[in-house]
Amino acid sequence: MIHLLTIVGARPQIIKAAAFTRAINSWNCSRLFQNEQITQTILHTGQHFDNNMSASFFAELDIPAPAIHLGVGGLPASEQVARMIMGIADELSRNKYDGVVLFGDTNSTLAGAIAAAQAHVPVFHIEAGLRSWNRTMPEEINRIVADSISSVLFTPTSQATQNLLAEGVPSKENAILPLPHVSDSSKDDATPHRPYSVQVGDVMYDNALHFSRMAEKRSHILEQLCLTDCPFVLATIHRPVNADNMAHLTSIIGALETIAKEQRVILPLHPRTKSHLSPQMLGQLTANDHILLIEPVSFLDMIMLEKHASLILTDSGGVQKEAFFYGKPCVILRKETEWTEIVHAGAAILAGADKLRIIEAYTLLKNKQVHPANLYGDGLASEHIVKEISRFFSSRS
Ligand code: UDP
């Protein structure tokens, strides 16, 4: 029996946990009476805490409720990370876990990596190896630290695998396990293994395939927003690089106002962004009949908006890929991206927060046909991850 502690905290991690949970369930079902079962305990740091950013996703996406909730949302970043590390360390000292599973690049990822390393528990990092090469982004620091601590680094793309290789992390086929200089006397659970990467594909692509049809059946968002016969673009803004920067926010909103003269703009507003908008900006947006400011939507509703939008503007890592999965052109509201493949494929343009560049990118892409290509795996990334975690432990026993 392998017992994992899975750490979530922010919305995209909860969504990724859905794919991982499905894969664990199907692994266990196919090994009912064997000693290879995998159990997971979910720890929620509380980084995102609004119902529509967290709790509602567990029910909708069929994820077991977290067994531990640290409730550290709303604190300043450093205090939040410190409390997360303490809470996760406490759980790791109370109960025995064989491994800690982390997703992506948030403060919860960072805290989980540090707490697990201090407790000498192997770390499995899902969505490893991504680099934007911009170290002013907190997400970049979080992913670099998490990757440097992880035992197995599950990469979504060949670019991510290459990035790790350049940093000295070999892919599994080229790794020598365990470290050659370790003496026999130290052969116990803590025997160091050389960290290695395994390219498994993207768990969000698994989710796109799994939830797409379900969204068509269950979501009524298009009818609710009267969008069934009305062309629209979808926009999201939440990265600190934009949400915490008034000049960037003003410029992006200016671009959306221009685009809204041509077609409707749907903007599900992230709480971080909302908290930074001045009352004047909020008033101006609400008064614009062509911009629909809405609360964050459920994942199934978001899928429907993505599938039926004519184009997507976003600074989100997840949303820019989902645009590609659903064949939609995308204006990326950042100067760089970790998901370079979609830019190289001509499906997305990096426009940053510059109003004119955003409008120019929109004009270039608005009639573009995006042909989904097989860049993110075979839709079974989570299954490959679960299989590899099992192999990791069997190679140590
Ligand atoms: N998402 C959602 N509802 C929304 C906005 C986004 O369900 O109102 C989903 C989106 O489909 C994607 C994920 O949240 O799967 C992306 O999360 P976010 O943009 O917060 O973070 P990032 O991907 O940039 O880490």
Side-chain angles (χ1 to χ4, degrees):
M1 174 80 82
I2 298 167
H3 191 189
L4 302 172
L5 182 66
T6 301
I7 297 186
V8 299
R11 173 175 61 191
Q13 294 170 318
I14 301 168
I15 298 172
K16 286 163 201 166
F20 186 59
T21 301
R22 282 196 309 277
I24 291 183
N25 291 345
S26 82
W27 172 270
N28 287 341
C29 282
S30 62
R31 284 163 184 80
L32 265 187
F33 302 107
Q34 299 170 24
N35 193 21
E36 289 177 57
Q37 298 265 311
I38 298 180
T39 59
Q40 77 166 334
T41 297
I42 297 183
L43 181 149
H44 192 326
T45 63
Q47 187 176 338
H48 282 168
F49 49 88
D50 292 344
N51 181 53
N52 60 8
M53 294 292 291
S54 172
S56 64
F57 285 83
F58 286 89
E60 181 179 55
L61 306 184
D62 211 9
I63 310 165
I68 307 125
H69 203 296
L70 302 182
V72 302
L75 297 172
S78 306
E79 190 180 342
Q80 191 178 67
V81 172
R83 290 210 190 182
M84 286 178 190
I85 295 173
M86 288 161 67
I88 298 166
D90 187 46
E91 177 58 22
L92 290 173
S93 69
R94 269 177 218 265
N95 293 301
K96 174 156 174 25
Y97 291 99
D98 299 301
V100 167
V101 175
L102 305 173
F103 302 98
D105 55 20
T106 72
N107 286 344
S108 305
T109 317
L110 174 69
I114 293 172
Q118 287 176 337
H120 302 291
V121 178
V123 173
F124 302 104
H125 187 200
I126 298 177
E127 222 178 60
L130 296 174
R131 296 290 179 267
S132 68
W133 312 111
N134 176 355
R135 290 201 176 193
T136 63
M137 287 176 61
E139 297 89 349
E140 182 78 351
I141 302 301
N142 294 344
R143 50 174 93 100
I144 290 171
V145 175
D147 281 349
S148 68
I149 284 171
S150 298
S151 295
V152 186
L153 297 90
F154 293 107
T155 59
T157 59
S158 55
Q159 183 62 57
T161 308
Q162 292 304 317
N163 293 341
L164 290 176
L165 201 55
E167 291 173 17
V169 181
S171 57
K172 186 176 180 189
E173 313 81 73
N174 301 317
I176 304 161
L177 306 172
L179 282 176
H181 63 267
V182 173
S183 74
D184 279 346
S185 61
S186 66
K187 263 192 183 166
D188 57 19
D189 274 359
T191 300
H193 276 55
R194 187 189 295 275
Y196 61 91
S197 73
V198 185
Q199 191 174 317
V200 288
D202 186 357
V203 294
M204 290 305 286
Y205 183 52
D206 301 5
N207 271 336
L209 296 179
H210 182 81
F211 288 114
S212 173
R213 211 169 320 145
M214 197 184 291
E216 296 280 356
K217 282 196 193 134
R218 295 198 193 159
S219 165
H220 303 291
I221 188 93
L222 299 179
E223 294 78 2
Q224 282 158 2
L225 300 180
C226 302
L227 293 172
T228 39
D229 294 317
C230 159
F232 66 93
V233 302
L234 175 67
T236 76
I237 317 162
H238 81 287
R239 292 279 173 152
V241 66
N242 291 326
D244 301 359
N245 182 318
M246 194 42 75
H248 284 197
L249 262 187
T250 310
S251 172
I252 293 171
I253 287 171
L256 294 182
E257 285 170 337
T258 304
I259 293 168
K261 290 179 187 153
E262 215 173 280
Q263 52 180 324
R264 260 190 169 191
V265 175
I266 312 301
L267 180 59
L269 203 53
H270 193 283
R272 175 183 205 110
T273 316
K274 192 174 188 177
S275 71
H276 286 88
L277 284 179
S278 64
Q280 189 211 339
M281 281 168 104
L282 211 51
Q284 189 180 318
L285 280 170
T286 321
N288 189 326
D289 284 346
H290 301 282
I291 297 184
L292 206 52
L293 216 54
I294 56 175
E295 291 293 315
V297 296
S298 76
F299 189 51
L300 296 186
D301 285 346
M302 188 64 180
I303 290 176
M304 287 304 279
L305 290 173
E306 289 169 341
K307 287 179 79 170
H308 293 268
S310 64
L311 176 146
I312 297 176
L313 301 104
T314 188
D315 58 10
S316 158
V319 176
Q320 61 185 268
K321 262 180 307 152
E322 285 162 2
F324 184 73
F325 300 156
Y326 300 123
K328 303 297 169 173
C330 181
V331 178
I332 302 175
L333 304 171
R334 283 174 45 198
K335 285 190 176 149
E336 71 291 301
T337 178
E338 314 70 72
W339 306 102
T340 47
E341 315 71 27
I342 53 177
V343 177
H344 294 149
I349 293 179
L350 290 164
D354 183 287
K355 181 177 169 182
L356 293 181
R357 289 192 61 192
I358 296 169
I359 296 168
E360 193 180 68
Y362 163 79
T363 310
L364 280 169
L365 286 177
K366 66 181 176 184
N367 296 318
K368 171 121 190 153
Q369 292 292 315
V370 172
H371 301 290
N374 187 7
L375 300 176
Y376 296 101
D378 58 4
L380 297 170
S382 309
E383 273 79 0
H384 300 315
I385 290 169
V386 168
K387 203 181 278 179
E388 183 56 36
I389 290 177
S390 167
R391 281 201 205 110
F392 175 87
F393 289 108
S394 57
S395 75
R396 289 160 65 109
S397 54

